[in-house]
Amino acid sequence: TTKATTKATTTAATTTKAATTTKPTTTTKITTTKATTTTTTTTAYKPKEIVVPNWGALPFMTGQTAFIEVHANVGDKVTWIWSDPIPGIMHGVFGIDAEYCPLVAQAAGFNCSWVFSAPGEFPFACQDHWFMAGKVVVSTPGSAPSPAAAQAVPASTAAEVLVPIGLTDFVGPTGFNGNIIQAHAYVGDTVTFVFTDPGLHGISTLPGTAQVGTCEVTAGPGHNCSTVYNAPGAYSFFCPVHSFMQGVVHVYNRPATTIAWGWASKGAAGNDVTISVGDSVTWSWTDTLPQGVQTSAGLLCAVLAFSSGHTCTHSFGQAGTYFYADPYFPEVNGTITVTPHA
């Protein structure tokens, strides 16, 4: 018996442990931003002094000074300087909110001031001579300045007179009606011919008549042309395409309304008048007292001792109601009502 001897050879398996450990590396970059602060320096408003010269009755009475308008900022000082060369005349400055300067008799050169601390419009006048008047317009520093006040009694502006014209004005159901258009205007007015139908029309002057202005032949409706009349007269015209389309523009001198002006005019019914835009009013002196005509806009007629018969005229170019008075004798007053041009 053969005993097989088996040698068991044990091979120790050596296991190599991969001991390679990869450690992730995270790099954090910290960026520091430096905040920049910009400081804007605002320069504080420095109040200023605004001088109102010629604060006296004489400049107003002679027309050298009219309604005074002063523009200022909050904090500004307004200074009125007395100017009357005649000693003993009392002047002051009175406002709606306060008495800016007390009523005193001071020689020319004396002055008085007031600081305005709030925005707004502040009317003022002399306590003893109400025709010495004006207003202070106060704005906040840095704001847009207030626009100048519109003239309360605007200068005369000519009116526009519209003259519609078309075939139906001359042709009726039974044929031609023989119509002639009659238009009326004042010297200086603009007359505008407006064609009312789609036909070809124009405006020409009749031979031997004053020049009326012309319109080229164009298809309407709505076509129009204008001319200004600078002299009174009768201006005949016709359409060169349709000779039966004829008319006349009657131009007149602008009327003037006369108001008797004097101490005797106190309370007179004739002081209240109604006129049209562009019309004139004439004040005719009836005595030798110092008188004038004033509205809130200032003097229309200077205050002087004119002889009886002296006149002063003003044209009104905007519809409205205007109160007026004698600045020296405010009891003498009236109202002018200006209506749109007819």
Side-chain angles (χ1 to χ4, degrees):
T1 304
T2 303
K3 184 177 179 179
T5 303
T6 304
K7 184 178 182 181
T9 303
T10 304
T11 302
T14 304
T15 303
T16 303
K17 183 178 180 181
T20 304
T21 304
T22 303
K23 184 179 181 181
T25 303
T26 303
T27 302
T28 303
K29 184 178 181 181
I30 301 175
T31 303
T32 303
T33 303
K34 185 178 182 181
T36 303
T37 303
T38 303
T39 302
T40 303
T41 302
T42 303
T43 303
Y45 175 75
K46 295 181 179 179
K48 59 183 182 292
E49 181 180 26
I50 301 171
V51 175
V52 179
N54 297 327
W55 189 242
L58 191 61
F60 282 87
M61 293 170 66
T62 58
Q64 299 175 30
T65 302
F67 186 84
I68 297 173
E69 182 169 322
V70 179
H71 288 263
N73 283 325
V74 172
D76 285 350
K77 178 172 67 174
V78 177
T79 299
W80 290 265
I81 298 181
W82 271 230
S83 64
D84 276 338
I86 306 172
I89 297 181
M90 301 286 287
H91 293 314
V93 184
F94 183 80
I96 294 177
D97 58 328
E99 185 177 59
Y100 304 143
C101 302
L103 189 64
V104 294
Q106 293 288 348
F110 173 79
N111 66 79
C112 176
S113 302
W114 185 267
V115 176
F116 289 85
S117 58
E121 292 192 5
F122 302 88
F124 62 86
C126 174
Q127 297 93 316
D128 218 26
H129 305 86
W130 76 271
F131 58 87
M132 294 170 55
K135 69 176 178 179
V136 180
V137 181
V138 183
S139 303
T140 302
S143 64
S146 301
Q151 182 76 356
V153 182
S156 174
T157 54
E160 182 181 26
V161 179
L162 298 180
V163 182
I165 181 171
L167 287 173
T168 55
D169 295 313
F170 305 92
V171 180
T174 59
F176 301 118
N177 56 22
N179 185 35
I180 295 179
I181 288 180
Q182 305 288 334
H184 303 272
Y186 289 132
V187 170
D189 285 349
T190 297
V191 174
T192 299
F193 300 92
V194 181
F195 298 102
T196 58
D197 61 58
L200 287 172
H201 298 304
I203 294 293
S204 293
T205 302
L206 285 174
T209 62
Q211 180 67 25
V212 72
T214 59
C215 298
E216 63 181 8
V217 175
T218 307
H223 167 59
N224 65 80
C225 68
S226 303
T227 188
V228 177
Y229 296 89
N230 294 313
Y235 299 84
S236 299
F237 63 90
F238 73 104
C239 171
V241 180
H242 308 90
S243 58
F244 56 86
M245 294 174 60
Q246 298 183 12
V248 180
V249 179
H250 302 273
V251 181
Y252 312 94
N253 285 317
R254 197 171 293 279
T257 300
T258 301
I259 297 174
W261 200 234
W263 179 249
S265 303
K266 177 183 176 182
N271 293 350
D272 299 329
V273 299
T274 299
I275 61 175
S276 296
V277 169
D279 289 351
S280 300
V281 173
T282 297
W283 288 267
S284 180
W285 269 237
T286 59
D287 54 41
T288 58
L289 294 173
Q291 291 162 329
V293 180
Q294 183 177 24
T295 69
S296 60
L299 285 175
L300 302 185
C301 304
V303 181
L304 287 176
F306 293 112
S307 61
S308 178
H310 171 77
T311 62
C312 174
T313 301
H314 186 83
S315 297
F316 292 79
Q318 184 173 319
T321 301
Y322 303 97
F323 175 81
Y324 68 92
D326 182 340
Y328 215 74
F329 302 104
E331 305 94 325
V332 183
N333 55 59
T335 300
I336 297 173
T337 302
V338 184
T339 60
H341 190 280

